[in-house]
Amino acid sequence: MLYVIGVPRIGDLDAAAIAGVRIQHDPQASSVPAHVTLVFAAPVDANAAVEAARHAALAVQPIDACFRRAMVWWTGQGRAWVYLVPDEGFSALSAWHDSLYGADGPFARYRCWNIPFVPHMTLAATDTVDAARAIADQWNASRRDIAARFESLTVGEPVSSTGEFRVMESFRVGPNP
């Protein structure tokens, strides 16, 4: 299963704050850096995925985003997540997502139209919504403005034996990467 992610450049203090929460509450913290997932677990050919990401990278521009608030995502049963959702950059990150899931690309048939795309960086995954709410409340009390710059698309996959995220290719965005 292949993913396409955007890994932002974030200031050292903000990156440390995010990492501090993730290492305690996000099982993927040691496998992949803070990121926005743009394509979710698509069973596509690796070469086709890489070419689609290369093509999308040429069609989009770098994004300056700002993350100010954590929100809880819970479907009403099972695990609950704590997401950092951008105040600025939401529409641009959504456009990157749309570009990758374009009608003529390999990811198109795997787009989940019944689940809205909400660009986010995961802070935590918890067993209860109450635990997620407590983490989000604590984060929001800090009133951080996290400036993030997205300049590349990265194609990768989780390695089943280790859980690590293996990067296959990364592309700078814009017409002259």
Side-chain angles (χ1 to χ4, degrees):
M1 296 294 202
L2 300 178
Y3 292 77
V4 180
I5 64 174
V7 178
R9 282 191 301 118
I10 299 172
D12 291 343
L13 291 176
D14 291 330
I18 291 169
V21 174
R22 288 186 74 221
I23 204 72
Q24 292 179 46
H25 303 288
D26 181 0
Q28 295 182 344
S30 64
S31 303
V32 62
H35 64 280
V36 171
T37 302
L38 300 160
V39 170
F40 297 85
V44 301
D45 174 75
N47 291 329
V50 167
E51 283 309 307
R54 182 189 323 272
H55 184 282
L58 292 170
V60 299
Q61 297 298 316
I63 298 169
D64 288 313
C66 186
F67 295 78
R68 292 193 181 92
R69 226 166 139 72
M71 65 170 270
V72 173
W73 184 277
W74 186 54
T75 62
Q77 60 186 1
R79 296 191 70 114
W81 290 265
V82 180
Y83 293 162
L84 288 177
V85 177
D87 288 87
E88 283 103 45
F90 189 103
S91 292
L93 286 163
S94 296
W96 280 21
H97 170 266
D98 292 348
S99 177
L100 286 158
Y101 278 105
D104 59 347
F107 302 119
R109 66 187 262 195
Y110 300 105
R111 185 172 188 166
C112 295
W113 289 101
N114 61 326
I115 302 171
F117 176 69
V118 176
H120 65 274
M121 292 190 290
T122 300
L123 275 179
T126 66
D127 290 331
T128 68
V129 71
D130 291 337
R133 180 79 262 154
I135 294 165
D137 287 348
Q138 183 176 6
W139 180 271
N140 291 334
S142 71
R143 299 190 178 273
R144 290 185 171 277
D145 286 355
I146 298 176
R149 175 119 173 126
F150 292 86
E151 299 175 320
S152 63
L153 294 173
T154 299
V155 180
E157 64 184 343
V159 177
S160 60
S161 62
T162 65
E164 294 297 312
F165 185 78
R166 183 177 69 85
V167 172
M168 298 168 68
E169 286 280 350
S170 191
F171 303 101
R172 289 187 58 82
V173 301
N176 299 305

